[in-house]
Amino acid sequence: MLVCRSWHQIIMGTPAFWTFVWIGAGTPPRDVEGRRLRAVLERSGQLPLSVMIAPERVERLVHFPNVHEALEDHLQRVETFSLVRMEGKRQNMPSRRDIELLLRHPLPSLKRLNVDNFKTCYAGTWWSDRLRITVDSPQLEELSCHYHFIVPQSPLHLISISLSSIDSLTDSFIPKKIDLPLLLDLRLTKCNVTTVLSAFVTPSLRRLFVDENLQRFLIPSSLRPYPKLEELQWNDEGSDPTFSALLPLCPNLIRYSNYLVGDDDNEEFRDIDTPATILSALPHGSGDNHGSSTSSWPKLEEVLLDGGKCDDIYALLDAIPSIKRVRILQSFTEHLDQETQQREASLLTSLRKVVDIVFGQDPWGSNPDMD
C-alpha cells in the first residue's frame, strides 16, 4: 500500500500500530521471517502484545526457530496468546516438542490464552499429537482449549474456561483437585464432564455450559457444591447421572436450559414425546427414594426446554413452584392429533394463569395463542 511520507512516519513511529503480531496466518509459510518479526516487535516498544500463531503454516526447521528466537525476549509483554488452526501444510510442521519449548517460557503478563485444534508434526508425519502442557502464567484470566489441554501453574486468577474435545486421553493429566476461586464461566464441549467437574473447585462459578458429556453414563463419585451458580445450560441427550447429581448442589440456580442458547437454529430436537431429562431428576415425595427432596433443590425462576407438553410443565411447577417463566422452542402441538391439540390448548390456558409460557423466540410476556 502506498501512503504519503507523513502517514508512513506516523505509522512507523507509533508503537500501538505494532502490538498485534500475526504469524503464519494470511501469508505463505516462506514469508515468515525472523528479521521482519523482530522489526515489528521492536516498533511495538514496551506496549502489551497480542500474538497469534498458526503452527500449520510455519515451517519447522527454519521458520519456527526464527519465530521462537524473535519472540523470546518479548514474551513477558504478551497479554493475549493464540495458537490457531489454519490448514495449508501437511509436512514440516512444528512438533509437539517445538510448541512445548515455546510455552515453557514465563508469561507473566498473559491474561488470555486460546489454543485451537491445530495439528503438529508427529514422528515425521503430519499426524497430530495432543499437547498437555502446564504454563507459567500467574495472571491468566481466560483460557480456551480445543483438543489440546494447557493449564497455568497457578490458576487462581482464571475467571473463564472453555474446554472442547478433551477426552479420556487427557484424564490422567487433569489433577484430582484444581482450585479455581475466581472462576465465573465454565464451558465444556465434548469433554469428560464428570472428570472435570470432580476436579475443579469453583466456589464462585456463576454460569456452566455443557454440550455432550462423553461420560454420560458414569456415576460421579463426588461433586462439590455450587453455591453461586445462577445459570445452567446442559444440552439434553438423555439420562445423565452427573446432571442429576449436580442439580441439588446448586441452591441459587435461577435459569436452566436443556439446550445451548444461541445454537437454537441448529438444535436437533428430540422426539417431542420424549420428556426433558430434568423431569426424571425432579424431586419426588418424601416416601420415594429415587429423587431429591424439594427443600434441597434450586429455586429456579426460568426454564428453557427444546420441547415439551403441558403435563411436563405442570410436573415442573409442582416440583419447583418458584418457576416464573418457561420457554418451549418447539411448539408441543406439532405432530399431535386434533383431540390432543384441543386438550393441550385447554391446559395451556390454565397454565398461563400461573406462569409465563412462550414459544420459539417470542419475547417474555407475549403469551401468543398456541397454533
Side-chain angles (χ1 to χ4, degrees):
M1 178 182 293
L2 297 177
V3 297
C4 69
R5 181 174 298 178
S6 297
W7 276 111
H8 180 267
Q9 291 176 345
I10 291 174
I11 292 173
M12 297 297 289
T14 303
F17 282 109
W18 305 96
T19 57
F20 180 68
V21 181
W22 199 1
I23 302 169
T27 58
R30 68 179 72 92
D31 292 334
V32 180
E33 299 176 355
R35 184 177 59 183
R36 181 169 58 86
L37 177 57
R38 281 191 289 271
V40 170
L41 292 169
E42 289 173 1
R43 291 176 190 138
S44 67
Q46 295 301 314
L47 294 179
L49 295 173
S50 177
V51 176
M52 178 182 291
I53 302 178
E56 294 160 308
R57 300 290 299 276
V58 181
E59 194 275 327
R60 179 189 181 191
L61 297 178
V62 177
H63 295 132
F64 194 83
N66 289 340
V67 168
H68 188 161
E69 182 181 355
L71 285 174
E72 189 171 357
D73 293 334
H74 300 272
L75 289 174
Q76 73 277 6
R77 294 193 286 130
V78 175
E79 287 192 353
T80 301
F81 201 118
S82 300
L83 294 168
V84 301
R85 180 175 183 175
M86 192 170 183
E87 295 187 2
K89 289 188 62 182
R90 293 296 188 187
Q91 297 177 345
N92 298 325
M93 295 182 296
S95 67
R96 182 179 74 172
R97 180 61 176 168
D98 294 327
I99 305 297
E100 287 176 345
L101 289 174
L102 178 63
L103 293 179
R104 288 290 165 83
H105 292 283
L107 298 162
S109 301
L110 188 66
K111 294 183 179 180
R112 291 165 293 275
L113 177 60
N114 307 299
V115 183
D116 204 354
N117 62 333
F118 60 88
K119 294 180 175 65
T120 58
C121 180
Y122 177 65
T125 72
W126 64 268
W127 186 253
S128 185
D129 196 10
R130 288 180 185 266
L131 296 174
R132 295 187 287 273
I133 305 174
T134 301
V135 295
D136 183 6
S137 53
Q139 301 301 317
L140 189 65
E141 297 178 355
E142 300 176 19
L143 172 65
S144 176
C145 292
H146 186 185
Y147 184 75
H148 305 287
F149 188 67
I150 300 178
V151 294
Q153 293 178 5
S154 176
L156 299 180
H157 289 86
L158 276 170
I159 60 174
S160 175
I161 295 179
S162 177
L163 303 179
S164 177
S165 299
I166 307 296
D167 61 14
S168 57
L169 295 176
T170 310
D171 282 358
S172 60
F173 189 72
I174 299 178
K176 293 184 178 180
K177 181 181 179 182
I178 303 178
D179 288 310
L180 300 161
L182 300 182
L183 192 69
L184 300 177
D185 294 276
L186 177 59
R187 181 178 293 269
L188 305 172
T189 303
K190 295 183 180 179
C191 293
N192 290 348
V193 175
T194 307
T195 297
V196 174
L197 294 184
S198 298
F200 286 9
V201 182
T202 56
S204 301
L205 192 67
R206 297 292 198 278
R207 291 165 291 275
L208 173 60
F209 310 89
V210 175
D211 184 9
E212 193 172 338
N213 180 9
L214 299 182
Q215 295 175 320
R216 187 162 64 88
F217 300 107
L218 179 66
I219 299 176
S221 57
S222 64
L223 293 177
R224 298 173 178 85
Y226 296 85
K228 296 185 179 181
L229 191 69
E230 297 177 351
E231 180 174 2
L232 174 63
Q233 296 183 25
W234 193 300
N235 198 23
D236 203 336
E237 297 180 283
S239 178
D240 189 329
T242 301
F243 170 77
S244 299
L246 175 77
L247 282 176
L249 301 176
C250 312
N252 295 303
L253 188 66
I254 297 174
R255 189 176 191 234
Y256 164 73
S257 173
N258 79 333
Y259 60 89
L260 295 187
V261 177
D263 291 344
D264 314 3
D265 295 337
N266 300 323
E267 189 71 23
E268 296 181 0
F269 297 113
R270 299 170 287 105
D271 187 331
I272 196 67
D273 293 326
T274 303
T277 301
I278 190 175
L279 296 173
S280 64
L282 287 175
H284 298 275
S286 57
D288 192 333
N289 294 324
H290 298 291
S292 305
S293 64
T294 304
S295 60
S296 67
W297 257 60
K299 303 299 187 291
L300 285 169
E301 295 184 4
E302 186 173 306
V303 175
L304 293 79
L305 303 176
D306 54 5
K309 299 179 181 179
C310 285
D311 288 333
D312 300 333
I313 309 305
Y314 270 117
L316 277 172
L317 294 177
D318 183 58
I320 314 174
S322 58
I323 295 177
K324 300 176 181 178
R325 296 175 295 279
V326 177
R327 179 180 299 280
I328 307 292
L329 273 188
Q330 188 177 10
S331 174
F332 44 49
T333 62
E334 295 183 14
H335 314 301
L336 299 179
D337 57 50
Q338 185 175 2
E339 181 179 350
T340 306
Q341 288 186 26
Q342 291 175 351
R343 179 179 180 274
E344 289 290 319
S346 176
L347 291 174
L348 181 60
T349 300
S350 300
L351 272 174
R352 281 181 165 157
K353 295 178 180 179
V354 294
V355 67
D356 184 10
I357 301 180
V358 296
F359 296 92
Q361 301 301 323
D362 293 325
W364 295 114
S366 57
N367 274 340
D369 292 332
M370 186 170 62
D371 294 332

